[in-house]
Coordinates of all heavy atoms in Angstrom, one line a residue:
M1 N 119.6 -32.5 101.6 CA 120.8 -32.6 102.5 C 120.5 -31.6 103.6 O 120.7 -30.4 103.4 CB 122.0 -32.2 101.8 CG 122.5 -33.3 100.9 SD 124.2 -33.1 100.2 CE 123.8 -31.9 98.9
H2 N 120.2 -32.0 104.8 CA 119.9 -31.1 105.9 C 120.9 -31.1 107.0 O 121.0 -30.2 107.7 CB 118.5 -31.4 106.5 CG 117.4 -31.2 105.5 ND1 117.1 -30.0 104.8 CD2 116.5 -32.1 104.9 CE1 116.1 -30.1 104.0 NE2 115.7 -31.4 104.0
T3 N 121.7 -32.2 107.1 CA 122.7 -32.2 108.2 C 124.0 -32.5 107.5 O 124.1 -32.9 106.4 CB 122.4 -33.3 109.2 OG1 122.5 -34.6 108.5 CG2 121.0 -33.2 109.8
E4 N 125.1 -32.2 108.3 CA 126.4 -32.3 107.8 C 126.7 -33.8 107.4 O 127.5 -34.0 106.5 CB 127.4 -31.8 108.8 CG 127.5 -30.3 108.9 CD 128.7 -29.8 109.6 OE1 129.6 -30.5 109.9 OE2 128.6 -28.6 110.0
T5 N 126.1 -34.8 108.1 CA 126.4 -36.1 107.8 C 125.7 -36.5 106.5 O 126.1 -37.5 105.8 CB 125.9 -37.1 108.9 OG1 124.5 -36.8 109.2 CG2 126.6 -36.9 110.2
D6 N 124.7 -35.8 106.1 CA 124.0 -36.1 104.8 C 124.8 -35.5 103.6 O 124.7 -36.0 102.5 CB 122.6 -35.4 104.7 CG 121.7 -36.1 105.7 OD1 121.8 -37.2 106.0 OD2 120.7 -35.4 106.1
I7 N 125.6 -34.5 103.9 CA 126.3 -33.8 102.8 C 127.3 -34.7 102.0 O 127.1 -34.8 100.7 CB 127.0 -32.5 103.3 CG1 126.0 -31.5 103.6 CG2 128.0 -31.9 102.2 CD1 126.5 -30.2 104.3
P8 N 128.2 -35.4 102.6 CA 129.1 -36.3 101.8 C 128.3 -37.3 100.9 O 128.6 -37.5 99.8 CB 129.9 -37.0 102.8 CG 130.0 -36.1 104.0 CD 128.6 -35.4 104.0
T9 N 127.3 -37.9 101.5 CA 126.4 -38.9 100.8 C 125.7 -38.2 99.6 O 125.7 -38.7 98.5 CB 125.4 -39.5 101.7 OG1 126.2 -40.2 102.7 CG2 124.6 -40.5 101.0
G10 N 125.1 -37.0 99.9 CA 124.4 -36.3 98.9 C 125.3 -35.9 97.7 O 125.0 -36.0 96.6
V11 N 126.5 -35.4 98.1 CA 127.5 -35.0 97.1 C 127.9 -36.2 96.2 O 127.9 -36.1 95.0 CB 128.7 -34.3 97.7 CG1 129.8 -34.2 96.7 CG2 128.3 -32.9 98.3
R12 N 128.1 -37.3 96.9 CA 128.5 -38.5 96.1 C 127.4 -38.9 95.2 O 127.6 -39.3 94.0 CB 128.9 -39.6 97.1 CG 129.6 -40.7 96.4 CD 130.2 -41.7 97.3 NE 129.2 -42.7 97.6 CZ 129.2 -43.6 98.6 NH1 130.1 -43.6 99.4 NH2 128.3 -44.5 98.7
Q13 N 126.1 -38.8 95.6 CA 125.0 -39.2 94.7 C 124.9 -38.2 93.6 O 124.6 -38.6 92.4 CB 123.7 -39.2 95.6 CG 123.7 -40.4 96.5 CD 122.5 -40.3 97.5 OE1 121.9 -39.3 97.7 NE2 122.2 -41.5 98.1
L14 N 125.1 -36.9 93.8 CA 125.0 -35.9 92.7 C 126.1 -36.2 91.7 O 125.9 -36.2 90.5 CB 125.2 -34.5 93.3 CG 124.0 -33.9 93.9 CD1 124.4 -32.5 94.6 CD2 122.9 -33.7 92.9
V15 N 127.3 -36.4 92.2 CA 128.5 -36.7 91.3 C 128.3 -37.9 90.5 O 128.5 -38.0 89.3 CB 129.8 -36.7 92.1 CG1 130.9 -37.2 91.2 CG2 130.1 -35.3 92.7
A16 N 127.8 -39.0 91.2 CA 127.5 -40.2 90.5 C 126.5 -40.1 89.4 O 126.7 -40.6 88.3 CB 127.0 -41.3 91.5
A17 N 125.4 -39.3 89.7 CA 124.4 -39.1 88.6 C 125.0 -38.3 87.4 O 124.7 -38.7 86.3 CB 123.2 -38.3 89.2
L18 N 125.8 -37.3 87.7 CA 126.4 -36.6 86.6 C 127.4 -37.4 85.8 O 127.6 -37.2 84.6 CB 127.1 -35.3 87.2 CG 126.1 -34.2 87.7 CD1 126.8 -33.1 88.4 CD2 125.3 -33.6 86.5
A19 N 128.1 -38.3 86.5 CA 129.1 -39.1 85.9 C 128.5 -40.4 85.3 O 129.2 -41.2 84.6 CB 130.2 -39.6 86.9
E20 N 127.1 -40.5 85.5 CA 126.4 -41.7 85.0 C 127.0 -43.0 85.4 O 127.2 -43.9 84.7 CB 126.3 -41.6 83.4 CG 125.6 -40.4 82.9 CD 125.5 -40.3 81.4 OE1 126.1 -41.1 80.7 OE2 124.8 -39.3 81.0
R21 N 127.2 -43.0 86.8 CA 127.7 -44.2 87.4 C 126.9 -44.5 88.7 O 126.3 -43.6 89.3 CB 129.2 -44.0 87.9 CG 130.1 -43.8 86.8 CD 131.5 -43.5 87.3 NE 132.4 -43.1 86.2 CZ 133.6 -43.5 86.2 NH1 134.2 -44.2 87.2 NH2 134.4 -43.1 85.2
P22 N 126.8 -45.8 89.1 CA 126.2 -46.1 90.4 C 126.9 -45.4 91.5 O 128.1 -45.3 91.5 CB 126.3 -47.6 90.5 CG 126.6 -48.1 89.1 CD 127.3 -47.0 88.4
A23 N 126.2 -44.9 92.5 CA 126.8 -44.2 93.6 C 127.8 -45.0 94.3 O 128.8 -44.5 94.8 CB 125.7 -43.7 94.6
G24 N 127.6 -46.3 94.4 CA 128.5 -47.2 95.0 C 129.9 -47.3 94.4 O 130.9 -47.7 95.0
E25 N 130.0 -46.9 93.1 CA 131.2 -46.9 92.4 C 132.0 -45.6 92.5 O 133.2 -45.6 92.2 CB 131.0 -47.1 90.9 CG 130.6 -48.5 90.5 CD 130.4 -48.7 89.0 OE1 130.8 -47.9 88.3 OE2 129.8 -49.8 88.7
V26 N 131.4 -44.6 93.1 CA 132.0 -43.3 93.2 C 132.6 -43.2 94.6 O 131.9 -43.3 95.6 CB 131.0 -42.1 93.0 CG1 131.7 -40.8 93.3 CG2 130.5 -42.2 91.5
Q27 N 133.9 -43.0 94.7 CA 134.6 -43.0 96.0 C 135.1 -41.6 96.4 O 135.3 -40.8 95.5 CB 135.8 -44.0 95.9 CG 135.5 -45.4 95.6 CD 134.5 -46.0 96.6 OE1 134.7 -45.9 97.8 NE2 133.4 -46.6 96.1
P28 N 135.3 -41.3 97.6 CA 135.7 -40.0 98.1 C 137.0 -39.5 97.4 O 137.1 -38.3 97.1 CB 135.9 -40.1 99.6 CG 135.0 -41.3 100.0 CD 135.0 -42.2 98.8
G29 N 137.9 -40.4 97.1 CA 139.2 -40.0 96.5 C 139.1 -39.9 95.0 O 140.1 -39.5 94.4
D30 N 138.0 -40.2 94.4 CA 137.9 -40.0 92.9 C 137.9 -38.6 92.5 O 137.3 -37.7 93.1 CB 136.6 -40.6 92.4 CG 136.5 -42.1 92.4 OD1 137.6 -42.8 92.6 OD2 135.4 -42.7 92.3
R31 N 138.8 -38.2 91.5 CA 138.9 -36.9 91.1 C 137.8 -36.6 90.1 O 137.5 -37.4 89.2 CB 140.2 -36.6 90.4 CG 141.4 -36.8 91.5 CD 142.7 -36.8 90.8 NE 142.8 -38.0 89.9 CZ 143.8 -38.2 89.1 NH1 144.8 -37.4 89.0 NH2 143.8 -39.3 88.3
L32 N 137.1 -35.4 90.2 CA 136.0 -35.1 89.4 C 136.3 -35.1 87.9 O 135.6 -35.7 87.1 CB 135.4 -33.7 89.8 CG 134.9 -33.5 91.2 CD1 134.4 -32.1 91.4 CD2 133.9 -34.6 91.6
L33 N 137.4 -34.4 87.5 CA 137.8 -34.3 86.1 C 138.5 -35.5 85.6 O 138.2 -36.1 84.6 CB 138.6 -33.1 85.9 CG 138.0 -31.7 86.3 CD1 139.1 -30.6 86.2 CD2 136.8 -31.4 85.5
E34 N 139.6 -35.9 86.3 CA 140.5 -36.9 85.8 C 139.9 -38.3 85.9 O 140.1 -39.1 85.0 CB 141.8 -36.8 86.6 CG 142.5 -35.5 86.4 CD 142.2 -34.5 87.4 OE1 141.1 -34.6 88.0 OE2 143.0 -33.5 87.6
D35 N 139.3 -38.7 87.1 CA 138.9 -40.1 87.3 C 137.4 -40.3 86.8 O 137.1 -41.4 86.2 CB 139.0 -40.5 88.7 CG 140.4 -40.4 89.3 OD1 141.3 -40.7 88.5 OD2 140.6 -40.1 90.4
L36 N 136.6 -39.3 87.0 CA 135.2 -39.5 86.7 C 134.8 -38.9 85.4 O 133.7 -39.1 84.9 CB 134.3 -38.9 87.8 CG 134.5 -39.5 89.2 CD1 133.8 -38.8 90.3 CD2 134.1 -41.0 89.2
G37 N 135.7 -38.1 84.8 CA 135.5 -37.6 83.4 C 134.4 -36.5 83.3 O 133.9 -36.3 82.2
L38 N 134.2 -35.8 84.4 CA 133.2 -34.7 84.3 C 133.8 -33.6 83.5 O 135.0 -33.3 83.6 CB 132.8 -34.2 85.7 CG 132.1 -35.1 86.7 CD1 131.8 -34.4 88.0 CD2 130.9 -35.8 86.0
D39 N 133.0 -32.9 82.7 CA 133.4 -31.8 81.9 C 133.0 -30.5 82.6 O 132.3 -30.5 83.6 CB 133.0 -31.9 80.5 CG 131.5 -31.9 80.3 OD1 130.7 -31.3 81.1 OD2 131.0 -32.5 79.3
S40 N 133.3 -29.4 82.0 CA 133.0 -28.1 82.6 C 131.5 -27.8 82.8 O 131.1 -27.2 83.7 CB 133.7 -26.9 81.9 OG 133.2 -26.9 80.5
L41 N 130.8 -28.3 81.8 CA 129.3 -28.2 81.9 C 128.7 -29.0 83.1 O 127.8 -28.5 83.8 CB 128.6 -28.5 80.6 CG 128.9 -27.6 79.4 CD1 128.3 -28.2 78.1 CD2 128.4 -26.2 79.7
Q42 N 129.3 -30.2 83.3 CA 128.8 -31.0 84.4 C 129.2 -30.4 85.7 O 128.5 -30.5 86.7 CB 129.3 -32.4 84.2 CG 128.7 -33.2 83.1 CD 129.4 -34.5 82.7 OE1 130.6 -34.5 82.6 NE2 128.7 -35.5 82.6
I43 N 130.4 -29.8 85.8 CA 130.8 -29.1 87.0 C 129.9 -27.9 87.3 O 129.5 -27.7 88.4 CB 132.3 -28.6 86.8 CG1 133.2 -29.9 86.7 CG2 132.7 -27.7 88.0 CD1 133.3 -30.7 87.9
T44 N 129.5 -27.2 86.3 CA 128.6 -26.1 86.4 C 127.3 -26.6 87.0 O 126.7 -26.0 87.9 CB 128.4 -25.3 85.1 OG1 129.6 -24.8 84.7 CG2 127.3 -24.2 85.2
E45 N 126.8 -27.7 86.4 CA 125.5 -28.3 86.9 C 125.7 -28.7 88.3 O 124.7 -28.5 89.1 CB 125.1 -29.4 86.0 CG 123.8 -30.0 86.3 CD 123.3 -31.1 85.3 OE1 124.0 -31.3 84.3 OE2 122.4 -31.8 85.7
L46 N 126.8 -29.3 88.7 CA 127.0 -29.8 90.0 C 127.0 -28.6 91.0 O 126.3 -28.6 92.0 CB 128.4 -30.5 90.1 CG 128.8 -30.9 91.5 CD1 127.9 -31.9 92.2 CD2 130.2 -31.5 91.5
A47 N 127.7 -27.5 90.6 CA 127.7 -26.3 91.5 C 126.3 -25.8 91.6 O 125.9 -25.4 92.8 CB 128.6 -25.2 90.9
Q48 N 125.5 -25.7 90.6 CA 124.1 -25.2 90.7 C 123.2 -26.1 91.6 O 122.5 -25.6 92.4 CB 123.5 -25.1 89.3 CG 124.1 -24.0 88.4 CD 123.6 -24.0 87.0 OE1 123.1 -25.0 86.5 NE2 123.9 -22.9 86.3
K49 N 123.4 -27.4 91.4 CA 122.6 -28.3 92.3 C 123.0 -28.2 93.8 O 122.1 -28.2 94.6 CB 122.8 -29.8 91.8 CG 122.1 -30.0 90.5 CD 122.3 -31.5 90.0 CE 121.7 -31.6 88.7 NZ 120.4 -32.3 88.7
L50 N 124.3 -28.0 94.0 CA 124.7 -27.8 95.4 C 124.2 -26.5 95.9 O 123.8 -26.4 97.1 CB 126.3 -27.8 95.5 CG 126.9 -29.2 95.3 CD1 128.4 -29.0 95.2 CD2 126.6 -30.1 96.4
E51 N 124.2 -25.4 95.1 CA 123.7 -24.2 95.6 C 122.2 -24.3 95.9 O 121.8 -23.7 96.9 CB 123.9 -23.1 94.5 CG 125.3 -22.6 94.3 CD 125.5 -21.7 93.1 OE1 124.5 -21.4 92.4 OE2 126.7 -21.3 92.9
H52 N 121.5 -25.0 95.1 CA 120.1 -25.2 95.4 C 119.8 -26.0 96.7 O 119.0 -25.6 97.5 CB 119.4 -25.9 94.2 CG 118.0 -26.2 94.4 ND1 117.0 -25.2 94.3 CD2 117.3 -27.3 94.7 CE1 115.8 -25.8 94.5 NE2 116.0 -27.0 94.8
L53 N 120.6 -27.0 96.9 CA 120.4 -27.8 98.1 C 120.9 -27.1 99.3 O 120.3 -27.3 100.4 CB 121.2 -29.2 97.9 CG 120.6 -30.1 96.9 CD1 121.5 -31.3 96.6 CD2 119.2 -30.6 97.4
L54 N 122.0 -26.4 99.2 CA 122.6 -25.7 100.4 C 122.0 -24.4 100.7 O 122.1 -23.9 101.8 CB 124.1 -25.6 100.2 CG 124.8 -27.0 100.1 CD1 126.3 -26.7 99.6 CD2 124.7 -27.8 101.3
G55 N 121.4 -23.7 99.7 CA 120.9 -22.4 99.9 C 121.9 -21.3 99.9 O 121.7 -20.3 100.5
R56 N 123.1 -21.6 99.4 CA 124.2 -20.6 99.4 C 125.1 -20.8 98.1 O 125.1 -21.9 97.6 CB 125.0 -20.6 100.6 CG 125.7 -21.9 101.0 CD 126.4 -21.7 102.3 NE 126.7 -23.0 102.9 CZ 127.6 -23.9 102.5 NH1 128.4 -23.6 101.5 NH2 127.7 -25.0 103.2
P57 N 125.8 -19.8 97.7 CA 126.6 -19.9 96.5 C 127.7 -20.9 96.7 O 128.3 -21.1 97.8 CB 127.2 -18.5 96.3 CG 126.4 -17.6 97.2 CD 125.8 -18.4 98.3
V58 N 128.1 -21.6 95.6 CA 129.2 -22.5 95.5 C 130.1 -22.1 94.4 O 129.6 -21.9 93.3 CB 128.7 -24.0 95.3 CG1 129.9 -24.9 95.1 CG2 127.9 -24.4 96.5
D59 N 131.4 -21.8 94.6 CA 132.3 -21.4 93.6 C 132.7 -22.5 92.7 O 133.4 -23.4 93.0 CB 133.5 -20.8 94.3 CG 134.5 -20.1 93.3 OD1 134.3 -20.3 92.1 OD2 135.4 -19.4 93.7
E60 N 132.1 -22.5 91.5 CA 132.3 -23.6 90.6 C 133.8 -23.7 90.1 O 134.3 -24.7 89.8 CB 131.4 -23.6 89.4 CG 131.7 -22.6 88.3 CD 130.7 -22.6 87.2 OE1 129.6 -22.1 87.4 OE2 131.1 -23.1 86.1
D61 N 134.5 -22.6 90.2 CA 135.9 -22.6 89.8 C 136.7 -23.5 90.8 O 137.7 -24.1 90.4 CB 136.5 -21.2 89.8 CG 136.0 -20.3 88.7 OD1 135.6 -20.9 87.6 OD2 136.0 -19.1 88.8
L62 N 136.3 -23.6 92.0 CA 137.0 -24.4 93.0 C 136.7 -25.9 92.6 O 137.5 -26.8 92.9 CB 136.5 -24.1 94.4 CG 136.9 -22.7 94.9 CD1 136.3 -22.5 96.3 CD2 138.4 -22.6 95.0
L63 N 135.5 -26.2 92.1 CA 135.2 -27.6 91.7 C 135.8 -27.9 90.4 O 136.1 -29.1 90.1 CB 133.7 -27.7 91.6 CG 132.9 -27.5 92.8 CD1 131.4 -27.6 92.5 CD2 133.2 -28.4 93.9
N64 N 136.1 -27.0 89.6 CA 136.6 -27.2 88.2 C 138.2 -27.3 88.1 O 138.7 -27.3 87.1 CB 136.1 -26.1 87.3 CG 136.0 -26.6 85.8 OD1 135.9 -27.8 85.6 ND2 135.9 -25.7 84.9
A65 N 138.8 -27.2 89.3 CA 140.3 -27.3 89.3 C 140.8 -28.7 89.2 O 140.1 -29.6 89.6 CB 140.8 -26.6 90.6
E66 N 142.0 -28.8 88.6 CA 142.6 -30.1 88.5 C 142.8 -30.8 89.8 O 143.3 -30.1 90.8 CB 143.9 -29.9 87.8 CG 144.6 -31.2 87.3 CD 145.8 -30.9 86.4 OE1 145.7 -30.1 85.5 OE2 146.8 -31.5 86.7
G67 N 142.5 -32.0 89.9 CA 142.8 -32.8 91.2 C 141.7 -32.7 92.2 O 141.9 -33.4 93.3
V68 N 140.6 -32.0 92.0 CA 139.6 -31.9 93.0 C 138.9 -33.2 93.1 O 138.4 -33.8 92.1 CB 138.6 -30.8 92.7 CG1 137.4 -30.7 93.7 CG2 139.3 -29.4 92.7
T69 N 138.7 -33.7 94.3 CA 138.1 -35.0 94.6 C 136.6 -34.9 95.0 O 136.2 -33.8 95.4 CB 138.9 -35.8 95.6 OG1 138.7 -35.1 96.9 CG2 140.3 -36.0 95.3
V70 N 136.0 -36.0 95.1 CA 134.6 -36.0 95.6 C 134.6 -35.6 97.1 O 133.8 -34.8 97.5 CB 134.0 -37.4 95.5 CG1 132.6 -37.5 96.1 CG2 133.9 -37.8 94.0
A71 N 135.6 -36.0 97.8 CA 135.7 -35.6 99.2 C 136.0 -34.1 99.3 O 135.4 -33.4 100.2 CB 136.9 -36.3 99.9
D72 N 136.8 -33.5 98.4 CA 137.0 -32.0 98.4 C 135.7 -31.3 98.1 O 135.4 -30.3 98.7 CB 138.0 -31.7 97.3 CG 139.4 -32.1 97.5 OD1 139.8 -32.4 98.7 OD2 140.1 -32.3 96.5
C73 N 134.9 -31.8 97.2 CA 133.6 -31.3 96.9 C 132.7 -31.3 98.1 O 132.0 -30.3 98.4 CB 133.0 -32.0 95.7 SG 131.5 -31.4 95.1
A74 N 132.7 -32.4 98.8 CA 131.9 -32.5 100.0 C 132.3 -31.5 101.1 O 131.5 -30.9 101.7 CB 131.9 -33.9 100.6
A75 N 133.7 -31.4 101.2 CA 134.2 -30.4 102.2 C 133.8 -29.0 101.8 O 133.5 -28.2 102.7 CB 135.7 -30.6 102.3
L76 N 133.9 -28.7 100.6 CA 133.5 -27.4 100.1 C 132.0 -27.1 100.4 O 131.6 -26.0 100.9 CB 133.7 -27.2 98.6 CG 133.2 -26.0 97.9 CD1 134.0 -24.8 98.4 CD2 133.4 -26.1 96.4
A77 N 131.2 -28.1 100.2 CA 129.8 -28.0 100.5 C 129.5 -27.8 102.0 O 128.7 -27.0 102.4 CB 129.0 -29.2 100.0
E78 N 130.3 -28.6 102.8 CA 130.1 -28.5 104.3 C 130.5 -27.2 104.9 O 129.9 -26.6 105.7 CB 130.8 -29.6 105.0 CG 130.2 -31.0 104.7 CD 131.0 -32.1 105.3 OE1 132.3 -32.0 105.3 OE2 130.4 -33.1 105.7
R79 N 131.7 -26.7 104.4 CA 132.3 -25.5 105.0 C 132.2 -24.3 104.2 O 132.4 -23.2 104.7 CB 133.8 -25.8 105.3 CG 134.0 -26.9 106.3 CD 135.5 -27.0 106.7 NE 136.3 -27.4 105.6 CZ 136.6 -28.6 105.3 NH1 136.2 -29.6 106.0 NH2 137.4 -28.9 104.2
G80 N 131.9 -24.4 102.9 CA 131.8 -23.2 102.1 C 133.2 -22.6 101.8 O 133.3 -21.5 101.5
S81 N 134.3 -23.5 101.9 CA 135.6 -23.0 101.7 C 136.3 -23.8 100.6 O 135.8 -24.8 100.2 CB 136.4 -23.0 103.0 OG 136.5 -24.3 103.5
A82 N 137.5 -23.4 100.3 CA 138.2 -24.1 99.2 C 138.6 -25.5 99.6 O 138.8 -25.7 100.8 CB 139.5 -23.3 98.9
P83 N 138.7 -26.4 98.7 CA 139.0 -27.8 99.0 C 140.5 -27.9 99.4 O 141.3 -27.0 99.1 CB 138.8 -28.5 97.7 CG 138.6 -27.5 96.6 CD 138.3 -26.2 97.3

């Protein structure tokens, strides 16, 4: 993920892989915990993968909050701020 336009797609692909679903089935409005069923270990893995790709820290607590969507996760990755 080198440009901002790549980030939402890359985040969706990462989330899809962790949720063991095709990327086409993962939508921006899907909630990480409630809709996709990610658990805390998968959220930690997501944060680590984002950190590796972005080259900066990602606060996994922001990703592990109730109601956080794939779009929120992409926004966090793009701006480095809370969803």
Side-chain angles (χ1 to χ4, degrees):
M1 285 188 286
H2 297 299
T3 67
E4 286 190 17
T5 56
D6 293 332
I7 290 174
T9 300
V11 167
R12 196 169 89 195
Q13 290 171 344
L14 283 174
V15 170
L18 290 168
E20 299 179 355
R21 297 177 186 215
E25 288 182 12
V26 175
Q27 301 302 312
D30 288 343
R31 296 170 298 172
L32 301 179
L33 303 175
E34 298 90 339
D35 299 327
L36 298 173
L38 297 184
D39 61 28
S40 61
L41 292 175
Q42 290 168 311
I43 295 293
T44 298
E45 186 176 349
L46 175 60
Q48 290 172 343
K49 288 178 185 259
L50 287 172
E51 287 174 0
H52 178 74
L53 289 170
L54 300 170
R56 60 181 156 78
V58 173
D59 186 348
E60 76 180 76
D61 290 335
L62 296 175
L63 298 176
N64 207 20
E66 191 172 312
V68 174
T69 66
V70 174
D72 293 333
C73 183
L76 174 65
E78 288 174 328
R79 294 188 296 269
S81 60

